[in-house]
Amino acid sequence: MLSAKRNTAIFFKVLLILGFVYFFWLMFSITLEYIPINPNVSFLMIKQTEVEQRPEYLYFFYTHVYTSILVLLSGFLAIIRKDFGLKNLHRNMGKVYIFLILLLAAPSGIYMGFFANGGLFSKISFVILGFSWWFSTFKAYQLARQKKFKEHKQWMWRSFAFTLSAITLRMWKVIIVYLFQPNPMDVYQIIAWLGWIPNILLIEYLITKKQI
């Protein structure tokens, strides 16, 4: 019985890693679209008003894009708590993750949230997401400094749930467009909330059940 449970746990862990690798590659491919810097490609094509009227917008945009892919990778390496034979890998990746979010990724994301597609409804969601991302990460950092590692781990999972919204938002977009083919702006309003709320609810459930 114990062997079966252990094998099941290993199976799901491997599945999780493979799933992350796949979606990380997709996100990395999206990031590559913005190298070299060009304000007339991909997502920026529908943000020309901001690009032309707000010189700072591109700085925040590229800061968010370039740091978020590193946040995704460092967060995953920190959250699985494995060093893979490299001394202090978990700890160092955690430091990179926290530093990038608190100083770069979350602040730039909050700024961009004020100009999100989909109107006020979407903007409110992305701004809340940005602040929640920053706060949960800061809380994880604070608890680590206080050596309250159980609580630190829980807040890191909360933070990573918000981090994963970059992936889940796009997953929901594909599903909704395929099933319902709604107006593009309606899609933004839906995925703005659907991209992160189920993530954090799942983590809260797992914490409540003492699975994290």
Side-chain angles (χ1 to χ4, degrees):
M1 181 65 72
L2 289 176
S3 178
K5 287 184 177 180
R6 183 181 179 185
N7 289 337
T8 301
I10 292 173
F11 171 77
F12 280 111
K13 186 173 289 188
V14 171
L15 197 63
L16 176 66
I17 292 173
L18 291 176
F20 176 81
V21 169
Y22 172 73
F23 285 110
F24 176 80
W25 173 251
L26 291 182
M27 295 301 298
F28 183 67
S29 300
I30 292 173
T31 303
L32 289 178
E33 294 177 6
Y34 302 103
I35 300 174
I37 292 175
N38 183 348
N40 298 303
V41 297
S42 197
F43 175 77
L44 289 174
M45 290 295 292
I46 59 173
K47 303 300 291 183
Q48 289 301 301
T49 300
E50 288 79 4
V51 169
E52 294 174 2
Q53 297 181 3
R54 296 183 173 274
E56 78 281 2
Y57 183 85
L58 283 177
Y59 292 102
F60 282 101
F61 174 81
Y62 285 116
T63 296
H64 188 70
V65 168
Y66 295 153
T67 59
S68 291
I69 192 67
L70 298 176
V71 164
L72 198 58
L73 179 60
S74 60
F76 183 75
L77 292 174
I79 214 77
I80 61 175
R81 303 179 65 81
K82 297 291 184 182
D83 286 335
F84 299 104
L86 300 174
K87 187 177 180 181
N88 295 325
L89 177 66
H90 159 74
R91 185 177 182 181
N92 291 332
M93 286 297 99
K95 289 180 179 179
V96 170
Y97 176 80
I98 289 171
F99 170 82
L100 289 176
I101 290 176
L102 295 184
L103 296 184
L104 298 169
S108 59
I110 292 169
Y111 171 86
M112 290 176 60
F114 286 103
F115 304 98
N117 295 329
L120 182 62
F121 195 62
S122 294
K123 292 176 182 179
I124 291 172
S125 176
F126 283 115
V127 171
I128 291 174
L129 170 59
F131 277 110
S132 300
W133 194 25
W134 190 94
F135 176 78
S136 58
T137 307
F138 177 76
K139 192 70 176 177
Y141 164 75
Q142 191 177 50
L143 289 164
R145 296 273 296 179
Q146 296 170 356
K147 300 189 184 303
K148 297 179 180 179
F149 294 115
K150 180 181 178 181
E151 293 87 349
H152 161 74
K153 180 182 176 182
Q154 293 173 345
W155 279 97
M156 279 292 285
W157 271 105
R158 290 183 175 107
S159 171
F160 197 60
F162 294 125
T163 298
L164 287 177
S165 66
I167 293 175
T168 52
L169 179 149
R170 288 168 173 83
M171 289 174 58
W172 282 114
K173 181 180 179 181
V174 171
I175 293 170
I176 291 171
V177 170
Y178 178 78
L179 292 178
F180 306 108
Q181 300 178 344
N183 180 283
M185 287 302 141
D186 292 338
V187 175
Y188 277 110
Q189 291 181 345
I190 296 169
I191 63 174
W193 297 91
L194 204 55
W196 62 273
I197 289 180
N199 296 10
I200 195 63
L201 289 178
L202 175 60
I203 293 302
E204 292 301 333
Y205 172 79
L206 293 175
I207 290 173
T208 301
K209 294 296 182 179
K210 302 187 186 303
Q211 298 298 311
I212 293 178

